[in-house]
Amino acid sequence: ATRIGKGLMIRGKHCILVSNNGLSIKGSTKKGGAALARSVMDEAFAEPLVFVGSAPPKEEIPFLTMSFSGVMKSLPQNVMLITKQLLYEETPSTYLVRLGHQYGLDEEPTLSEPVDVSLEDLFPNQRIKHIQEMTLSANLEISSWLEERLDWNGRSNSSTGDFDVGAGFTIKLKPMDIRTFKVTVSE
């Protein structure tokens, strides 16, 4: 917000979505407000970052390729890569990875289903050596959190089945899940 004279001016971005009930949304069969909004939210709120530089005309550009992808293949349509950050204080090459399921339960017939994601697909030309699931804030291992959390419902805290990492470093994301991992790779 900026003040201009005696008034206050607030600038922002508004997005109005209009849909025809006969219109399908990116492979979806349901026509609803939530499905429509979730299908365009990345484009509206997480615009790509563009980096540019300059060099003298006769200087060779030091890049081997003009494009780069940090993933081997596209993620499922209902999954968002929220964070993929190299942790410089960790050794050797350890990344903080957060994946999120974008749809709520029963929000859309197919895209609201749990989905399997291979973490190997996030590391092209690298081999995963170790994966450690963390809490959302990445300050505590999920196994420690499960042991320490307060038992509100009288259920046992010993079950960790929902937090397992499967064969091929595959994880399951349930509707509206956000899962955080520390992933150590070899170059």
Side-chain angles (χ1 to χ4, degrees):
T2 57
R3 182 176 296 277
I4 298 177
K6 294 184 179 185
L8 183 67
M9 179 183 290
I10 298 175
R11 292 188 177 115
K13 183 188 256 189
H14 298 279
C15 186
I16 298 173
L17 302 173
V18 179
S19 175
N20 178 343
N21 278 344
L23 180 68
S24 71
I25 303 162
K26 293 186 181 179
S28 163
T29 56
K30 183 175 181 181
K31 301 90 184 163
L36 179 61
R38 294 209 192 276
S39 67
V40 297
M41 70 180 175
D42 291 340
E43 298 157 12
F45 301 112
E47 296 175 353
L49 299 175
V50 178
F51 297 92
V52 295
S54 62
K58 293 182 181 180
E59 187 174 317
E60 186 175 328
I61 299 174
F63 302 113
L64 299 176
T65 181
M66 295 307 225
S67 64
F68 169 77
S69 176
V71 296
M72 290 192 330
K73 64 179 189 179
S74 294
L75 290 170
Q77 186 177 344
N78 51 357
V79 174
M80 179 179 189
L81 177 61
I82 299 169
T83 305
K84 183 181 177 187
Q85 176 183 1
L86 182 62
L87 300 174
Y88 293 103
E89 68 276 359
E90 301 279 334
T91 58
S93 295
T94 301
Y95 290 84
L96 181 67
V97 175
R98 279 192 192 91
L99 292 167
H101 192 298
Q102 294 185 301
Y103 288 80
L105 192 61
D106 298 327
E107 216 171 54
E108 205 282 335
T110 55
L111 297 175
S112 290
E113 293 294 315
V115 63
D116 292 326
V117 179
S118 173
L119 294 178
E120 288 180 322
D121 293 341
L122 302 178
F123 297 95
N125 304 319
Q126 296 173 314
R127 189 177 62 78
I128 294 177
K129 295 187 335 189
H130 180 70
I131 292 180
Q132 185 176 33
E133 184 158 8
M134 307 298 287
T135 58
L136 182 61
S137 58
N139 64 343
L140 188 64
E141 291 181 37
I142 199 78
S143 56
S144 297
W145 174 76
L146 286 170
E147 292 171 6
E148 295 174 11
R149 71 179 178 174
L150 182 59
D151 184 10
W152 288 93
N153 301 10
R155 289 183 271 156
S156 169
N157 290 339
S158 61
S159 172
T160 60
D162 289 347
F163 300 99
D164 290 341
V165 176
F169 303 110
T170 300
I171 61 154
K172 183 175 289 296
L173 285 172
K174 296 177 187 172
M176 297 307 291
D177 264 358
I178 297 176
R179 293 181 68 184
T180 306
F181 302 90
K182 278 188 180 178
V183 180
T184 303
V185 297
S186 60
E187 299 297 328

